[in-house]
Amino acid sequence: MPAKPAIARLGLDLGTGYANIALAAFVTLAIVPLYAARLGPASWGVAALCLTVLGVLSALDIALSPLALRDVAQAAQRGRAYAAYRHYRRVYAGSALALAAVAALVVAVLALGGTIALALVAPLALVLAQFVFQFSNNAAVAWWNGRGEQRVANVRTLAFLAVRHVLALAAVFWRPGDAFAWLAPFAAVAAVEFAANAARIRRDAADEPGIDADAAYDRWNAVAGFGAAAALGVATTQIDRVALSLALPLPDYGAYFLVATLMLALLQLQVPIHRAYMPRIATSNAPRAEAVAMWKTSFALIGLPCLVLAAVPELVLRLWLRDAALATAGAQTLRWMLVAVALIAAYAPINTLLVSRRRYRTLAAVNGCVLAVQAVVLASLLPSLGMLAGALAWLACGVVQIAFAARLWFAREERSREERG
């Protein structure tokens, strides 16, 4: 009997997570072109630069979110989730303030030196303020996800996302061509979201102590230990675009960027699955069973659809881009990228197990090997294959990860049999 409510809750967690992704996709496809048109080329260029800065800084969450999610989940078993949340709120806020201060200093130096226009300073300052609140709010996201309340985190994130875009739309119609006015609602709503979530968590945790003397998480040591592995992981996701942007003519790189955008959107489908299963794996008495369940979910929602689409990549691109020539040119690239996504999704449960067990050196070894193989693939194939080499670098990522996954999984199985024997 308990299995049905658990399955229903998992479905609700995943459903609300994918609703967030769907709204973000709708904003990208339908609303961003409207923003660009209302702001005009000059102001949209300013806005795009600001959003790029925000995206680069926010990507650093990859070094914190798995740890925060794991530690809140494990602390919740002892009734000490609020202590873990407070710890990671300090980590997130401290990291955000330090990064924003460095970025502000760089902006000031560039502005005084004439490298960037003074008109950029105010919008960049606004987006840095947004980053501080938005990045710090990830501790609240970890609180709800770690306690198995993903739907609460997803619904609140969805609501605030909708509010910020409603206000941003009002801003571009009120003051067209004004990038600062357009960015202001994003910063303001980020501050309100951070404060509202912190207040809600204080109410929810009224009976929990704020200090956990027996905390299982490793404070800044865990962040530092996982940080090296995470940095290598980020490099594996960027090396193809760096290499191709330097080697290909601009039109060819533009085509590759479009195809890669579709692949990265599919990779984002793994986020709700990770947030749903990390607490289960981190707190379960049978984490391998939970990892198998995660693999089945990943295969059903990501792996199998990607393999089906890989059979008709040109059709996918024709339907999406409405450009027959580009669809033909990018079909093989998309095909191997889709296979890579399926392999990466299959590796995800092993990655989650390694994080839950604090095996940071193993994670660093996997990511380091992936990066080395990708570098060899790009160096040897890019001159002759062009943008297809980027897809093969992603395929190499998936193959190396699966090889490590098989080795780690079956080695553990063999040890278990020996112990039982």
Side-chain angles (χ1 to χ4, degrees):
M1 292 298 291
K4 288 185 178 179
I7 293 173
R9 188 176 68 180
L10 177 62
L12 187 59
D13 291 342
L14 292 173
T16 53
Y18 286 125
N20 275 324
I21 291 176
L23 180 58
F26 172 76
V27 168
T28 299
L29 296 175
I31 300 181
V32 167
L34 178 58
Y35 287 150
R38 295 293 298 178
L39 289 172
S43 291
W44 177 247
V46 172
L49 177 61
C50 290
L51 293 179
T52 299
V53 171
L54 179 65
V56 170
L57 292 174
S58 299
L60 297 173
D61 182 42
I62 193 173
L64 291 177
S65 60
L67 303 182
L69 190 56
R70 178 199 67 195
D71 291 343
V72 169
Q74 292 178 343
Q77 288 189 312
R78 307 189 306 277
R80 297 292 191 272
Y82 187 59
Y85 158 73
R86 287 185 61 191
H87 163 64
Y88 277 102
R89 188 176 63 185
R90 289 192 295 270
V91 171
Y92 271 111
S95 302
L97 288 170
L99 290 168
V102 171
L105 180 60
V106 171
V107 169
V109 170
L110 293 176
L112 291 173
T115 305
I116 64 172
L118 289 175
L120 273 172
V121 173
L124 283 170
L126 195 59
V127 87
L128 289 177
Q130 176 188 347
F131 164 71
V132 169
F133 289 111
Q134 191 169 295
F135 197 72
S136 301
N137 186 61
N138 286 324
V141 175
W143 158 268
W144 281 303
N145 285 324
R147 284 159 45 94
E149 299 175 350
Q150 289 89 355
R151 58 202 175 280
V152 177
N154 291 331
V155 168
R156 291 179 73 87
T157 300
L158 195 63
F160 282 109
L161 181 63
V163 168
R164 66 169 56 102
H165 283 291
V166 167
L167 294 178
L169 282 169
V172 294
F173 278 94
W174 173 52
R175 295 182 63 87
D178 189 339
F180 187 89
W182 176 71
L183 289 166
F186 291 95
V189 173
V192 171
E193 183 177 11
F194 172 75
N197 285 345
R200 167 70 182 269
I201 290 171
R202 278 197 300 272
R203 291 196 301 271
D204 290 350
D207 297 331
E208 284 194 27
I211 299 174
D212 187 1
D214 301 319
Y217 44 90
D218 300 323
R219 304 290 175 180
W220 288 94
N221 292 334
V223 176
F226 182 68
L232 288 169
V234 171
T236 66
T237 66
Q238 303 297 322
I239 188 173
D240 63 313
R241 280 174 287 178
V242 172
L244 269 68
S245 67
L246 296 173
L248 295 182
L250 192 57
D252 291 347
Y253 178 69
Y256 178 80
F257 185 85
L258 279 174
V259 176
T261 297
L262 180 57
M263 180 205 64
L264 292 173
L266 292 170
L267 280 175
Q268 285 297 307
L269 299 177
Q270 189 67 42
V271 173
I273 298 174
H274 170 74
R275 288 178 173 174
Y277 278 99
M278 171 58 95
R280 291 170 167 80
I281 289 174
T283 59
S284 174
N285 292 325
R288 287 169 62 85
E290 293 290 348
V292 171
M294 182 178 177
W295 179 85
K296 291 177 180 177
T297 303
S298 295
F299 180 74
L301 297 181
I302 302 175
L304 182 59
C306 282
L307 293 175
V308 171
L309 293 177
V312 288
E314 186 170 346
L315 176 61
V316 172
L317 290 175
R318 282 177 182 269
L319 292 174
W320 179 44
L321 298 175
R322 308 288 183 179
D323 186 322
L326 186 53
T328 300
Q332 288 302 315
T333 298
L334 179 61
R335 184 193 305 279
W336 293 113
M337 282 183 168
L338 289 169
V339 174
V341 171
L343 293 174
I344 292 168
Y347 167 73
I350 295 295
N351 185 81
T352 304
L353 275 173
L354 292 174
V355 173
S356 71
R357 292 171 177 168
R358 296 172 170 78
R359 294 184 61 179
Y360 307 136
R361 290 184 179 178
T362 303
L363 285 167
V366 173
N367 291 340
C369 286
V370 168
L371 187 61
V373 172
Q374 286 180 313
V376 171
V377 168
L378 289 168
S380 58
L381 300 180
L382 185 51
S384 58
L385 297 182
M387 68 177 181
L388 181 58
L392 294 178
W394 276 102
L395 182 64
C397 171
V399 170
V400 172
Q401 287 182 340
I402 287 298
F404 268 97
R407 181 178 181 278
L408 292 167
W409 184 269
F410 290 113
R412 179 77 179 183
E413 283 283 357
E414 184 63 30
R415 284 197 299 272
S416 297
R417 282 195 294 268
E418 289 176 358
E419 290 170 1
R420 288 195 299 270

